[in-house]
Amino acid sequence: MMRNSRFLIAGLLLVLAACGGGGDSGGTPTSSTGTTGTGSTGTGGSTGTGTGSTPPPVTLSATDAQRLLEQATFGPTPSEVTRVAALGVAAYVTQQEAIPATGYTGFTYVPHTAPATCKSDPTAPTSAASICARDNYSLYQVQRQFFENALTAPDQLRQRVAFALSQIFVVSGVEIYEAYGMAAYQNMLLNDAFGNYRQLIEDVTLSPVMGRYLTMAQNAKADPSAGFEPNENYARELMQLFSIGLYELNPDGSQMLDANKNPLPTYTESVVQGFAATFTGWTYAPLAGASIDFGGAPINYQAPMVSVASYHDTTAKLLLNGALTPTGQTPEADLKVALDNVFNHPNVGPFIGKQLIQHLVTSNPSPAYVARVAAVFADNGSGVRGDLSAVVKAILSDVEARGDAPSSPDAGHLREPALYITTLLRELGAQSDGVYLRSQSSAMGQPVFSPPTVFNYYPPGYQLPGTTTLAPEFFIQTAATALARNNFVNQLVFNGGATPDPTVTASTGTTVNLNALLGSPVYSPDQLVNELNGLLMHGSLSSAAQAAIVTAVEAAPTSDPLGQVKAATYLLATSPQFQVEH
């Protein structure tokens, strides 16, 4: 058993209780399920209370400012809480949207197949050759920069929204292993985070990274004589995952039902085939000095895909709701018709809006919340559809997001691994170069930018077993990943974090200085836990949990006040009430 094992075991038991939906019900209302209100399905033809009307204005206290920063950033800091409380929601969002993107930098083109001289050899002296494959043919440096940006970038809201978008418009390092390619795709999401959804789906569609991942690149028109049909991967996922979903939705996100109470499909296989044919004729942009080559073009993630008209299907093609593409059109014209067709489908607002709510605020939003956000997607107040800036502002300012405490005792969500790590580090004032954090997030079930499939790390419709309660992040919460969370906090708090990596330029390692929590005079155990409760949980720790932690801290020697600080920090950071954001 490792050092400080009594705290490790105590924390693990608390986390496993959260996995099972149990938790401390005393004191401040909290829930280990991390979810809100009613389920996601409803009866056909009804939007319940989800009228889409604008909610009344709300004020912003210091406590609510901290909750806002938990939803809109990678973790609050004390100075930001004070500043944002004075600004208010609207001004804060407007200010954040004006900050230029902090992108992924330092990446250059490499051929898809690594040259023989580009290897990773940790046994050799560090040189460009010994780390070539690691830095160019894996996501190591991209993942490391993700955590650096999450901890220190000024454009926190943009970073957070882009991370949410990366889990909706999924590409994965399982297939896209070139660092420059993944960096380019994530930079695109950062740039589009507050733009229009119509532009976003066009940029995603023409991204060579997506073209490679879902095989739209070099997708040729049908050749009946050879028994060849266009690949359907991107056409299918554009509809199923990136825009409208499988079933027709009411504005509040509930499923429309037919007379027999069966859900109504949004599309048929014929429509998939129509979109697949529409998306033919696109290939990688040529490298400098080369000409366009449809069949043999080298993989190039530096620029959007380009069209080759001779490989494009120019016949009329079936789209959503019975629409047809005109005959004889160019690849560009057909692409515009198809994307406009998807963009204007009424499902997009509730389908995309609900997922953004889940990533930013709560796993299981009420139908009314979804309807209000979907209404803003349909019209930002100035007649514009798909304004993501307005959608994000609506999500964060909604009455179900704001207040000193959630409107429902079941509000919130389990902090996914990356957010669990960054929130804790930002609130404690820790510093990191991202090296240690990328491996720790992976151990917790979330290898950043490398989800196992196009369905992300966890599906948005995942329900707690035996319930109808949506709780997507619990899909990857197991005994093993729960233990990994505890081990991470144990290493950070008790064992000094991680030392600098000599193979990474300007590496700092990962450390936290807890001396500021000693107090002057030194805090009593009760005062110490109160301080941490305010710092990490805006005072929401239940009285029963607080009493249990105080008792454990009192067991640490009074002659070692820093040891008491470490014990309190460990126990609160591994508690289910911290891991579930409310």
Side-chain angles (χ1 to χ4, degrees):
M1 183 65 69
M2 64 192 299
R3 183 176 173 228
N4 307 300
S5 59
R6 67 183 184 278
F7 299 121
L8 178 63
I9 293 172
L12 176 58
L13 291 175
L14 287 172
V15 175
L16 291 178
C19 294
D24 188 348
S25 60
T28 304
T30 57
S31 169
S32 58
T33 60
T35 51
T36 299
T38 58
S40 63
T41 57
T43 57
S46 172
T47 60
T49 58
T51 62
S53 59
T54 302
V58 294
T59 58
L60 198 63
S61 66
T63 298
D64 196 14
Q66 189 169 351
R67 291 188 67 232
L68 171 63
L69 290 169
E70 289 176 343
Q71 298 159 354
T73 75
F74 280 92
T77 64
S79 60
E80 274 293 273
V81 170
T82 301
R83 191 180 72 84
V84 171
L87 276 176
V89 179
Y92 171 72
V93 172
T94 298
Q95 186 182 82
Q96 278 287 299
E97 290 176 342
I99 300 174
T102 303
Y104 295 84
T105 60
F107 300 96
T108 57
Y109 169 82
V110 294
H112 183 62
T113 301
T117 54
C118 185
K119 299 179 179 180
S120 283
D121 186 357
T123 65
T126 300
S127 67
S130 69
I131 59 175
C132 176
R134 184 199 71 181
D135 288 356
N136 292 286
Y137 290 95
S138 81
L139 299 192
Y140 180 93
Q141 292 289 2
V142 184
Q143 293 168 328
R144 189 187 66 75
Q145 282 194 28
F146 165 81
F147 281 105
E148 279 193 321
N149 293 346
L151 292 176
T152 64
D155 56 322
Q156 281 286 300
L157 180 58
R158 184 184 297 274
Q159 297 287 328
R160 182 69 186 272
V161 172
F163 187 48
L165 293 175
S166 76
Q167 296 188 61
I168 300 172
F169 300 88
V170 172
V171 298
S172 176
V174 172
E175 175 67 32
I176 310 299
Y177 51 76
E178 299 96 323
Y180 87 97
M182 186 59 72
Y185 189 81
Q186 299 307 325
N187 283 337
M188 178 195 72
L189 294 181
L190 285 165
N191 291 331
D192 285 352
F194 303 131
N196 194 281
Y197 173 84
R198 174 61 180 79
Q199 184 63 53
L200 173 62
I201 58 170
E202 181 168 328
D203 289 344
V204 167
T205 301
L206 293 181
S207 164
V209 173
M210 182 62 77
R212 169 74 179 179
Y213 185 60
L214 290 181
T215 56
M216 181 178 148
Q218 300 180 332
N219 190 29
K221 65 183 178 182
D223 182 353
S225 65
F228 173 80
E229 297 292 336
N231 188 285
E232 297 178 1
N233 280 354
Y234 182 71
R236 190 180 306 278
E237 306 309 353
L238 170 65
M239 293 184 286
Q240 180 179 346
L241 301 178
F242 304 161
S243 60
I244 62 174
L246 292 172
Y247 301 107
E248 297 284 353
L249 301 176
N250 294 303
D252 65 0
S254 60
Q255 292 179 359
M256 290 185 181
L257 305 178
D258 63 18
N260 296 318
K261 298 192 179 299
N262 295 314
L264 301 170
T266 49
Y267 57 87
T268 64
E269 177 59 24
S270 295
V271 172
V272 174
Q273 293 169 356
F275 273 94
T278 301
F279 294 143
T280 53
W282 295 90
T283 188
Y284 301 107
L287 298 174
S291 58
I292 296 175
D293 180 356
F294 187 86
I299 294 171
N300 177 15
Y301 298 137
Q302 299 176 104
M305 292 190 294
V306 296
S307 68
V308 180
S310 59
Y311 288 90
H312 176 64
D313 187 326
T314 59
T315 64
K317 297 166 285 288
L318 180 64
L319 304 179
L320 293 167
N321 298 325
L324 293 170
T325 62
T327 59
Q329 291 203 130
T330 64
E332 290 80 4
D334 266 0
L335 185 83
K336 181 181 185 306
V337 170
L339 295 183
D340 286 346
N341 178 253
V342 169
F343 173 62
N344 287 299
H345 192 285
N347 266 31
V348 180
F351 185 77
I352 296 297
K354 182 175 182 177
Q355 290 187 69
L356 288 174
I357 295 170
Q358 288 181 306
H359 283 290
L360 300 178
V361 177
T362 183
S363 291
N364 199 27
S366 73
Y369 192 177
V370 174
R372 289 191 292 268
V373 170
V376 173
F377 183 95
D379 185 342
N380 69 351
S382 300
V384 176
R385 177 176 174 81
D387 180 354
L388 293 176
S389 171
V391 167
V392 170
K393 188 172 291 186
I395 289 170
L396 295 175
S397 61
D398 193 87
V399 291
E400 292 189 36
R402 300 275 50 82
D404 284 359
S407 57
S408 164
D410 293 328
H413 53 183
L414 176 69
R415 299 186 202 270
E416 60 193 288
L419 286 176
Y420 176 66
I421 290 169
T422 60
T423 299
L424 180 63
L425 265 60
R426 281 175 61 86
E427 290 179 330
L428 292 177
Q431 64 80 39
S432 177
D433 54 18
V435 173
Y436 181 58
L437 306 186
R438 57 173 293 279
S439 64
Q440 292 304 295
S441 184
S442 294
M444 297 176 200
Q446 189 173 42
V448 172
F449 303 144
S450 287
T453 72
V454 72
F455 297 98
N456 194 28
Y457 314 96
Y458 45 80
Y462 177 75
Q463 299 174 338
L464 287 176
T467 76
T468 58
T469 303
L470 291 176
E473 297 86 352
F474 275 96
F475 183 81
I476 56 173
Q477 183 77 339
T478 66
T481 59
L483 181 61
R485 289 178 181 235
N486 285 33
N487 284 340
F488 165 71
V489 181
N490 184 80
Q491 180 65 27
L492 178 70
V493 171
F494 290 113
N495 298 326
T499 58
D501 185 332
T503 69
V504 173
T505 303
S507 176
T508 62
T510 298
T511 56
V512 60
N513 184 352
L514 297 176
N515 286 308
L517 289 169
L518 285 172
S520 182
V522 174
Y523 291 136
S524 68
D526 190 60
Q527 290 172 326
L528 173 61
V529 176
N530 273 331
E531 184 74 11
L532 280 165
N533 184 17
L535 179 66
L536 300 183
M537 295 184 58
H538 47 81
S540 66
L541 186 68
S542 73
S543 57
Q546 177 154 336
I549 294 174
V550 168
T551 299
V553 173
E554 288 173 340
T558 56
S559 59
D560 181 16
L562 186 58
Q564 290 191 324
V565 169
K566 291 178 179 180
T569 302
Y570 174 85
L571 288 171
L572 199 144
T574 56
S575 71
Q577 291 179 33
F578 174 74
Q579 296 195 49
V580 175
E581 177 187 316
H582 294 285

